[in-house]
Amino acid sequence: MQSWCVFMGLACDYVVGKEGVVLNPHYKTMGLSGSEYHTYSLPKRVGKEIADTLLDECLPLSVEKA
C-alpha cells in the first residue's frame, strides 16, 4: 500500500481496516519525498511527539495500533 493511502485515512470520519494488516506509513527509506500533506495533518490528529516518531522511525504499524 502506498504511504499516501495510509495517511488518507486521517481525512476520513470512519476508517475500516482488517485485523492483522500491517501498514508501512512512510517512504523515507526509499529515498522518495512525495506528497507532504501528512506532515501538516498528522500532528493535529495524533500529536507532535507521535507524529515525529511515526515519520522518523519508519516502523510498520498495525491496523489495531493505527
Side-chain angles (χ1 to χ4, degrees):
M1 177 178 285
Q2 297 290 325
S3 61
W4 60 268
C5 292
V6 173
F7 288 113
M8 244 171 121
L10 294 175
C12 299
D13 291 327
Y14 297 97
V15 178
V16 178
K18 185 177 179 182
E19 183 179 341
V21 170
V22 176
L23 308 171
N24 287 297
H26 61 83
Y27 40 78
K28 182 177 177 181
T29 57
M30 293 183 276
L32 303 172
S33 58
S35 171
E36 300 297 337
Y37 178 69
H38 65 271
T39 60
Y40 173 77
S41 59
L42 185 62
K44 290 179 180 268
R45 188 70 171 237
V46 301
K48 183 174 177 4
E49 186 175 322
I50 293 173
D52 288 345
T53 299
L54 286 172
L55 297 174
D56 291 340
E57 292 185 4
C58 299
L59 298 174
L61 184 65
S62 70
V63 166
E64 294 85 6
K65 177 96 172 162

